[in-house]
Amino acid sequence: MTLNPLVYVCVMSSFNLPEWEACLLRRPSDVVLVVSSFKQAQEGAEHMAELLEQQLPGVVVHRPESRTMPLAGDDALSAQAWLNQVLLPYLARPALAEKPRWLNMTGGTKSMQLALLTTVRWEQLDYTPANSGQVRAIGLEKAPLAPLEERGSETLTTASAKDVARLYNNSVTFGVPNPLLYRPASCELAERIFRGLTDEDPGLDAMFAALRRLWIDGSGQEQWKQKELALTWPEFLEGETFPDPALMVWLQSVEMLAPECWSISESGICLPGNKVKNKSSGMHGALKEWLTSGWWEQLAHVWLLGAGLPEAAVASNVHGGEQQENSSTKREADLLVHFRSRTTVVEVKVEPAPGQAPKEMENQVSGLADRFGRTQKALLVSPLVRRRLKARQWEDFAARCRANNVALCEDRATLLQAVGAAPAVATTPHKTPHKEVRA
C-alpha cells in the first residue's frame, strides 16, 4: 500500500500505542515525533521510530531537536517557545512545507497540547478516546482557538500483540511453539483434561499424581535423571500392579498424542524422565512441558481465537526486557492479548509451584504489567489451583487479586471477559489450525 502525502505530528510519552495505531490507519509519508527530555518519552520515540520504519516502508521519521533548547513539555510557555524556535522552522523545510499538516493530540501533557493548538496551524486534529478503538478527526475552521468542527470517526487499524511488545521493550523474543500444538489430538485432549480436572476425574488425578511424584517431587533423585524412564507398573503407581480402567483411559490418550515418547504395555510404561527440561529438548521435553503446563496455555489460546480474536491479537511466551544479552532483565508473559485497543497480560497457572504461596502467583502477573505499556492484568488458573488451597486461602487469594486489579479467571467465559471479548457460543469443538499456534 502507498503512503499518503501527509505530515503527521505525534507527541511521544511512555504510552504511544494510540499514536502507533493511528499511524497504521493514516499511513503518512512523514511522521514528526515531538519528544521531550523525559526519559520514557525518549525511549518511546526510539521504539516508535523503529516500528514505523519496519511496518510503513518508505515513511520518513523526523525528530526535531535543539541542543540549546531542550523540550520540557510540562510548561505551556516554554513549550510554545520551543515550537516557535525549533518545530515551526523544521516544518517549513521544503520537503514538508507543501504537505497537509495533521496533529495527533492523544498523547503528551496538557501543557504541550495547549501550546501546539495555539501556536501551529493544523489542517486536522486526530484524537483517540480511551478504549474506543476509534480515531476522532477534528477540523479547525479557521485559526487556532476557533470553534471545533466534527469530522466523524474511523475504526483504527489495530496493532498486533507482538508490535505492542516491541513498542515497550528494547529486547523482545517469542518462545518457539511446542511441536505438539500442531497435532490435532492435542487440542481435544487439552479440553478433556480441563473437564476432567473440573469434575475431579479419579483416573486423571491418579495420572497427574504419578507424574508429579516423578517430575516435581523426584526432580532431584538420580534414578529419574534420564531422558526416558522405563518403569514397571508398581514403580509408576507406587505398588499398584496394574492401572485401573479410569487411569488407563488417560494413559492411552497421552500415548495416542505422542507414541514416540510415551508407551504402555502389560508390564509398565515408558515416559520422559528428568534429564529433559522443556520443549527445546526434543519430543520427550515437548511432552513433559505440555503435560505440566502447555495444555492449559494451548486451551487458553484456542478459547481466545475461537471467540473471534484475530490470530495477531494473541502472542504466546513473550519475553520482554531491556537488553538482549542480559536475561536477568527479561520477564515472560504467557499470553499477551491486544484486542479492541486494550492490552491484557495473561499469566497461566496449572497449579502452584512447590512451596509457592498464593500471593506469589498474583505477584508474577502484577510484575509484568509495566513491561508492555498500559495493560490489564489477568491470571488464568486451572481447577487444580482452587483444589490445592483451603477455602480461606482461596478467598484471601481472590481478594488480593481484586485489590491489585488482577482478573482471576477459571474458565473460558471469565478469560474472554478479562480481555474484553464477548463470549461466543461454540457449536463444535474448537480445532487448532497450524497457523493459529505460531508465536
Side-chain angles (χ1 to χ4, degrees), residues 75-197:
D75 180 90
L77 293 177
S78 64
Q80 187 177 58
W82 185 89
L83 294 175
N84 281 318
Q85 297 185 42
V86 180
L87 181 63
L88 283 174
Y90 195 98
L91 295 179
R93 293 182 176 187
L96 303 178
E98 300 302 319
K99 295 177 182 177
R101 186 183 297 168
W102 291 12
L103 170 68
N104 188 304
M105 56 178 295
T106 307
T109 64
K110 293 182 175 64
S111 297
M112 187 70 243
Q113 293 298 343
L114 177 61
L116 283 163
L117 289 172
T118 56
T119 306
V120 185
R121 183 181 296 277
W122 306 102
E123 279 78 10
Q124 181 165 301
L125 308 176
D126 273 358
Y127 181 77
T128 299
N131 300 322
S132 69
Q134 302 281 317
V135 61
R136 183 66 58 82
I138 302 170
L140 290 177
E141 183 66 23
K142 294 182 181 179
L145 298 182
L148 300 180
E149 175 189 347
E150 172 63 47
R151 292 188 179 178
S153 59
E154 297 179 57
T155 300
L156 283 167
T157 300
T158 303
S160 71
K162 290 185 176 181
D163 281 350
V164 172
R166 295 186 183 107
L167 198 61
Y168 293 106
N169 290 270
N170 294 332
S171 171
V172 178
T173 57
F174 303 94
V176 177
N178 190 312
L180 289 174
L181 302 183
Y182 303 125
R183 300 186 178 184
S186 65
C187 181
E188 181 182 353
L189 183 54
E191 186 72 56
R192 285 179 53 208
I193 290 174
F194 172 66
R195 292 198 301 267
L197 292 178

Side-chain angles (χ1 to χ4, degrees), residues 365-437:
V365 66
S366 291
L368 281 169
D370 62 352
R371 290 298 179 98
F372 303 103
R374 190 176 299 168
T375 63
Q376 309 290 321
K377 300 172 289 185
L379 180 58
L380 176 65
V381 297
S382 85
L384 282 178
V385 173
R386 186 188 279 264
R387 286 165 56 184
R388 295 282 184 264
L389 303 180
K390 297 178 181 178
R392 182 57 184 270
Q393 285 181 307
W394 174 262
E395 292 172 4
D396 291 344
F397 174 56
R400 179 184 179 89
C401 288
R402 288 193 299 272
N404 290 288
N405 296 315
V406 175
L408 182 57
C409 310
E410 297 182 77
D411 53 24
R412 180 176 182 270
T414 49
L415 174 63
L416 298 185
Q417 183 179 12
V419 302
V425 178
T427 56
T428 58
H430 298 309
K431 302 300 182 183
T432 310
H434 182 89
K435 67 178 183 178
E436 289 185 340
V437 293

Side-chain angles (χ1 to χ4, degrees), residues 182-257:
Y182 303 125
R183 300 186 178 184
S186 65
C187 181
E188 181 182 353
L189 183 54
E191 186 72 56
R192 285 179 53 208
I193 290 174
F194 172 66
R195 292 198 301 267
L197 292 178
T198 302
D199 298 337
E200 300 187 25
D201 183 289
L204 182 61
D205 285 350
M207 183 180 77
F208 277 146
L211 296 178
R212 192 179 304 112
R213 178 173 59 85
L214 293 171
W215 290 345
I216 299 177
D217 299 339
S219 60
Q221 299 180 24
E222 288 299 323
Q223 67 266 38
W224 309 136
K225 290 183 179 180
Q226 304 174 45
K227 177 182 178 181
E228 183 174 87
L229 300 175
L231 306 178
T232 64
W233 288 123
E235 288 176 317
F236 183 69
L237 300 174
E238 286 194 298
E240 296 291 330
T241 58
F242 198 77
D244 63 31
L247 171 57
M248 183 60 75
V249 168
W250 292 102
L251 297 177
Q252 290 172 337
S253 296
V254 178
E255 183 179 42
M256 292 177 63
L257 175 63

